[in-house]
Amino acid sequence: MKNLLLLLLAFSSFGQTKIQILDSVTRQPVSYANIWNEKQIIRNSDSLGNFEVVIGDKKPLKITAIGYEEKEIRSHQSPILLKPVSYQLPEVVIRKPKNTNPIVVTKASRNGQAFFVQYDVKSVCVVKLIKGDTKQKFLKSLAFFTQTSARNRKIALIFYSVNAKGVPGELLNTETVVCNLKKGTKETRVDLVDYAIELPKEGVYVGLQHLLIEDNKMYSHDKNATPLSYFYEPGLYFSEDSDSKDSWCFYDEKWKLYPTRSLNLGVELTD
């Protein structure tokens, strides 16, 4: 009985509580916000702005979301209100794609190995450099293969500028772009014409972010597995390529180059 009581107390001390993230103006849920510990994204809010934290965990968390000011929280009171950012756009003429002369830069491929994100998350963002050295300067479409065990797994598209050192710089997204994925090993193609993403000469980093939500978890079928035996889908395909050196992951608060791997993305440009 004494051992059972200790076991129950241990489980209760690691219970979880749900927190919701809301827009401070509209009071609408902030979907797929990033929740950080000291150095990395450890989970995301779901489509309703909800995420869970361990009761009694006093470590501060940082909340970031596209279109909102960053916020640090030290208590687990719900809801958390994020303040929208007002984008100050420079007075320039914004060009729109003509979309009359598309070209395929690279084709989507499922060659190579599919990589997933483990429960002890190390990195969730991966990007690939798309150079702007053609006459076609607008992103028309993005395609990629994923491996999933269930329908409606989700992943987010991310776009970054190229800084002076050639490393991913500023996040270019002004909204969160989330893709619903098909079950199995399937190709997803996203039309980007309406986003009017124009490539400068140095190019743009285009990539994918795993969403650390319950709907993306794949639990182990091993009867002897611990409760932590899960990983996050989808699996993303990489080719072994020591020459390209075009793909980066965000790890330990820094962008790091994959020396021998290239993210398999299909990219189409247009004028």
Side-chain angles (χ1 to χ4, degrees):
M1 178 63 74
K2 181 178 179 181
N3 290 337
L4 177 59
L5 179 59
L6 289 174
L7 183 61
L8 290 173
L9 287 172
F11 273 108
S12 65
S13 65
F14 289 99
Q16 295 189 322
T17 184
K18 183 179 291 186
I19 297 176
Q20 188 175 36
I21 304 174
L22 300 178
D23 184 300
S24 64
V25 177
T26 66
R27 289 302 198 270
Q28 293 299 306
V30 178
S31 304
Y32 310 116
N34 299 319
I35 293 90
W36 301 68
N37 63 8
E38 295 177 352
K39 295 184 177 182
Q40 62 197 31
I41 298 171
I42 56 172
R43 61 182 64 88
N44 292 95
S45 62
D46 62 19
S47 60
L48 299 178
N50 296 316
F51 71 98
E52 293 185 341
V53 293
V54 176
I55 296 172
D57 187 350
K58 301 299 183 182
K59 294 179 181 178
L61 297 174
K62 181 175 69 175
I63 313 294
T64 63
I66 295 172
Y68 293 91
E69 292 183 0
E70 178 182 306
K71 187 167 187 174
E72 184 176 287
I73 61 169
R74 294 182 175 274
S75 66
H76 296 160
Q77 293 183 346
S78 183
I80 296 169
L81 302 180
L82 294 188
K83 184 178 179 181
V85 172
S86 296
Y87 290 102
Q88 299 296 324
L89 297 177
E91 293 183 3
V92 296
V93 177
I94 300 176
R95 298 202 307 143
K96 293 288 186 180
K98 296 178 183 177
N99 197 23
T100 58
N101 188 27
I103 62 167
V104 175
V105 179
T106 56
K107 292 184 178 181
S109 171
R110 58 182 177 183
N111 292 333
Q113 188 173 355
F115 289 86
F116 300 81
V117 172
Q118 296 187 112
Y119 67 87
D120 55 341
V121 182
K122 296 295 188 297
S123 176
V124 298
C125 299
V126 58
V127 295
K128 182 172 185 174
L129 178 62
I130 308 301
K131 296 181 179 179
D133 54 3
T134 66
K135 292 181 180 180
Q136 290 80 359
K137 297 295 184 181
F138 288 91
L139 285 172
K140 175 178 171 61
S141 68
L142 184 68
F144 50 93
F145 278 91
T146 56
Q147 187 180 120
T148 68
S149 61
R151 293 183 300 170
N152 295 323
R153 302 299 202 201
K154 294 175 175 60
I155 200 163
L157 302 186
I158 48 177
F159 306 92
Y160 283 85
S161 65
V162 181
N163 71 13
K165 295 181 179 180
V167 176
E170 294 184 6
L171 181 67
L172 300 177
N173 294 58
T174 57
E175 61 181 280
T176 303
V177 183
V178 174
C179 304
N180 289 312
L181 307 174
K182 299 175 183 177
K183 180 181 178 180
T185 301
K186 303 291 184 180
E187 182 184 35
T188 297
R189 183 172 297 274
V190 185
D191 188 342
L192 299 173
V193 171
D194 290 342
Y195 292 97
I197 302 171
E198 187 171 7
L199 275 65
K201 185 177 180 179
E202 63 272 17
V204 166
Y205 281 102
V206 178
L208 301 164
Q209 177 183 339
H210 275 93
L211 296 175
L212 308 181
I213 55 178
E214 188 66 32
D215 286 348
N216 279 349
K217 285 183 180 179
M218 172 61 184
Y219 288 91
S220 173
H221 295 296
D222 184 355
K223 295 181 180 179
N224 298 318
T226 67
L228 291 178
S229 295
Y230 65 84
F231 54 87
Y232 291 97
E233 294 187 337
L236 298 179
Y237 284 88
F238 290 79
S239 294
E240 292 297 322
D241 186 349
S242 58
D243 296 325
S244 296
K245 292 182 171 54
D246 56 9
S247 299
W248 300 67
C249 68
F250 191 79
Y251 177 79
D252 200 17
E253 295 188 292
K254 295 179 182 179
W255 285 102
K256 297 188 178 182
L257 178 68
Y258 280 121
T260 60
R261 262 185 223 155
S262 181
L263 178 65
N264 288 343
L265 287 180
V267 177
E268 190 176 14
L269 302 180
T270 191
D271 55 347

